[in-house]
């Protein structure tokens, strides 16, 4: 036991001397909340206020009432664009063309044509174009209703079925995509913070020729692996838990209610998430160590672990993109933790069966990988990095 304690102390001492590992952990803690805050503030700004849009009206004199209707709803002629926005709107080239026979066809009770010309692939224009189409459709409906009234017909005859929507959506449940991103940043902090320490204590130690000296001591390879994974997992778990606190604090400070979103942040939620992070940190640490030891050099280890870093991003995005989430996702490592974290932040009750099974599965996979790595360290190929 004293030998194991010495190994753990040695690993922590070397890790805390490594400025790269410390900077990686700090980077993971700080960047996630800053990115989320910037994303939310941009979304709040975009959705909380409808700004003026400037388009080119061709043949505006043929439909003055339609143009006035659009102007009243913040669609202005391009000639009125402010100087600071002129370049942007001229580049977008949104054009509304009124047909030559627009007035005549309206007077004859026939459909009159208008043409919207714009780049519909431009994501910055999509909401503007959709809003313009809906406004023109609303204006068209008004004209249609007026025509029916002039003929003594109730306009409601054109709506034989009236849909009454009663949404059970709550501000908490509407935040699914965003809470998935919060969970993703928490898990990314775990992998990012532990990556540098994993490489240094495995491939780095091997290149410094200190690994052979450790393995020459009367200590089992399991103890060597556990001492290393304890240090690496500590880095990851600490960064992930701190990221959870900073993310939660950041979310609580933002006016998310302006975009119809609410998240649940309470001590119980944080404790449950912290409990989930601990076995996940163990799995992340042993996975990174396992692949780092399979590499032949420090640079190769960096390449392997950079690919593993994609996992905490790929899994949450895959879950968010699925139209129907399979039930078995709640019970596997990474995916299960992501789903449970998202549900907790949305204020849903904890699924104890999924929570317990995911924890046990994560620990089981991590223990198996620990034994496999301990066994591989008995091989000269792995210890010396031979091809």
């Amino acid at each position: 036991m004293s030998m194991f304690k010495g190994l753990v102390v040695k690993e922590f001492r070397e890790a805390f001397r490594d400025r790269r590992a410390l900077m990686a952990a700090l980077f993971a803690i700080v960047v996630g909340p800053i990115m989320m805050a910037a994303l939310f503030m941009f979304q709040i700004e975009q959705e909380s206020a409808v700004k003026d849009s400037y388009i080119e009206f061709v043949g505006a004199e043929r439909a003055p009432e339609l143009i006035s209707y659009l102007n009243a709803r913040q669609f202005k002629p391009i000639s009125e664009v402010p100087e600071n926005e002129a370049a942007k709107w001229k580049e977008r080239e949104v054009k509304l063309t009124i047909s030559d026979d627009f007035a005549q066809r309206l007077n004859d009770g026939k459909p009159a044509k208008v043409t919207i010309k714009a780049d519909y692939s431009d994501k910055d224009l999509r909401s503007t174009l959709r809003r313009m189409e809906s406004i023109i459709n609303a204006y068209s409906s008004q004209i249609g209703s007026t025509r029916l009234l002039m003929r003594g017909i109730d306009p409601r005859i054109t709506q034989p079925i009236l849909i009454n929507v009663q949404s059970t959506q709550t501000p908490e449940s509407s935040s699914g995509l965003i809470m998935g991103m919060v969970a993703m940043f928490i898990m990314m902090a775990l992998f990012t913070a532990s990556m540098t320490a994993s490489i240094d204590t495995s491939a780095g130690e091997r290149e410094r020729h200190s690994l052979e000296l450790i393995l020459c001591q009367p200590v089992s390879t399991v103890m060597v692996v556990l001492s290393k994974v304890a240090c690496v997992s500590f880095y990851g778990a600490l960064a992930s838990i701190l990221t959870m606190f900073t993310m939660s604090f950041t979310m609580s400070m933002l006016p998310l209610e302006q975009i119809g979103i609410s998240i649940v942040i309470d001590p119980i939620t944080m404790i449950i998430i912290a409990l989930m992070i601990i076995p996940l940190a163990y799995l992340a640490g042993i996975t990174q160590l396992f692949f780092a030891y399979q590499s032949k050099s420090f640079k190769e280890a960096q390449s392997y672990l950079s690919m593993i870093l994609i996992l905490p991003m790929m899994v949450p995005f895959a879950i968010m993109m699925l139209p129907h989430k399979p039930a078995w996702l709640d019970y596997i490592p990474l995916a299960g933790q992501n789903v449970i974290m998202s549900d907790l932040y949305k204020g849903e009750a904890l699924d104890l069966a999924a929570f317990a099974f995911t924890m046990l599965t994560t620990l089981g996979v991590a223990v198996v990988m620990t034994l496999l790595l301990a066994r591989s360290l008995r091989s000269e190929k792995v210890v010396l990095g031979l091809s």
Side-chain angles (χ1 to χ4, degrees):
M1 193 66 187
S2 60
M3 182 68 75
F4 177 70
K5 182 181 177 182
L7 286 170
V8 172
V9 170
K10 170 252 179 195
E11 293 295 339
F12 273 92
R13 188 176 295 159
E14 289 184 353
F16 281 105
R17 281 184 198 152
D18 187 358
R19 291 185 180 179
R20 289 176 304 169
L22 292 172
M23 289 302 295
L26 184 63
F27 176 83
I29 296 166
V30 172
V31 169
I34 291 175
M35 288 181 64
M36 286 297 290
L39 177 66
F40 283 135
M41 289 307 296
F42 176 76
Q43 188 175 353
I44 290 168
E45 184 183 352
Q46 291 293 310
E47 296 191 17
S48 59
V50 179
K51 298 180 180 179
D52 289 341
S53 300
Y54 299 92
I55 59 178
E56 181 183 351
F57 294 116
V58 178
E61 69 281 356
R62 302 172 198 139
E65 292 183 2
L66 172 59
I67 301 303
S68 298
Y69 193 84
L70 286 167
N71 288 343
R73 286 152 184 80
Q74 295 178 292
F75 282 94
K76 310 292 184 182
I78 193 70
S79 57
E80 297 180 11
V81 64
E83 290 184 10
N84 59 334
E85 296 186 31
K88 177 179 70 175
W89 285 103
K90 286 177 181 176
E91 183 182 350
R92 287 176 174 177
E93 292 183 327
V94 183
K95 185 184 292 186
L96 179 67
T97 304
I98 313 296
S99 61
D100 295 335
D101 56 351
F102 184 89
Q104 184 62 45
R105 291 184 70 85
L106 277 185
N107 291 332
D108 295 343
K110 297 177 181 178
K113 187 172 72 172
V114 298
T115 304
I116 301 173
K117 183 179 179 182
D119 182 3
Y120 274 77
S121 65
D122 187 345
K123 63 181 185 345
D124 295 327
L125 273 178
R126 285 173 192 165
S127 61
T128 300
L129 295 172
R130 282 198 300 267
R131 195 163 63 88
M132 183 163 62
E133 288 177 13
S134 66
I135 290 171
I136 294 173
N137 285 329
Y139 180 77
S140 175
S141 297
Q142 284 187 12
I143 293 175
S145 298
T146 303
R147 287 175 177 174
L148 290 172
L149 285 171
M150 290 174 65
R151 289 165 174 78
I153 301 172
D154 189 342
R156 288 176 294 182
I157 198 172
T158 60
Q159 294 179 318
I161 297 175
L162 185 64
I163 301 173
N164 184 21
V165 177
Q166 296 180 344
S167 176
T168 58
Q169 175 179 293
T170 63
E172 289 82 7
S173 63
S174 64
S175 59
L177 179 64
I178 292 170
M179 291 307 102
M181 292 181 66
V182 171
M184 180 191 75
F185 275 111
I186 290 172
M187 291 196 292
M188 274 189 65
L190 194 158
F191 279 80
T192 304
S194 59
M195 185 177 75
T196 306
S198 299
I199 297 171
D200 186 70
T201 195
S202 54
E205 194 172 71
R206 184 167 56 194
E207 289 192 356
R208 294 192 297 268
H209 302 291
S210 56
L211 180 60
E212 301 96 305
L213 295 175
I214 295 171
L215 294 175
C216 288
Q217 305 303 314
V219 59
S220 69
T221 53
V222 173
M223 283 193 176
V224 173
V225 172
L226 286 176
S227 67
K228 293 180 181 300
V229 79
C231 175
V232 171
S233 301
F234 175 81
Y235 255 104
L238 182 63
S240 189
I241 291 171
L242 288 176
T243 301
M244 175 191 67
F245 281 113
T246 53
M247 291 285 280
S248 300
F249 176 75
T250 303
M251 297 300 103
S252 65
M253 297 297 290
L254 292 173
L256 296 177
E257 64 279 356
Q258 293 185 21
I259 53 175
I261 291 175
S262 176
I263 63 173
V264 176
I265 301 172
D266 56 62
I268 301 299
T269 298
M270 291 188 176
I271 290 170
I272 294 171
I273 293 175
L275 288 174
M276 283 193 297
I277 286 171
I278 293 169
L280 192 59
Y282 177 23
L283 177 63
I286 192 61
T287 302
Q288 290 176 328
L289 284 171
F290 183 86
F291 284 99
Y293 271 115
Q294 306 313 308
S295 63
K296 303 299 183 288
S297 64
F298 192 93
K299 286 186 177 180
E300 190 175 337
Q302 286 180 318
S303 300
Y304 285 170
L305 267 59
S306 296
M307 289 187 283
I308 293 174
L309 198 59
I310 299 172
L311 278 175
M313 291 187 289
M314 184 178 67
V315 172
F317 270 115
I319 293 172
M320 287 187 280
M321 294 301 111
L322 285 174
H324 303 289
K325 179 175 68 67
W328 52 265
L329 279 177
D330 296 352
Y331 302 96
I332 62 173
L334 279 181
Q337 280 92 349
N338 183 270
V339 171
I340 293 171
M341 284 184 203
S342 301
D343 290 345
L344 288 172
Y345 273 122
K346 289 190 289 184
E348 297 181 12
L350 174 65
D351 186 341
L352 289 174
F355 176 77
F357 196 88
T358 304
M359 296 271 281
L360 291 173
T361 306
T362 304
L363 285 171
V365 174
V367 168
V368 170
M369 293 191 72
T370 301
L371 296 175
L372 288 173
L373 180 56
R375 183 180 177 183
S376 70
L377 286 181
R378 300 187 191 117
S379 167
E380 288 185 2
K381 274 188 171 184
V382 175
V383 175
L384 299 177
L386 302 174
S387 56

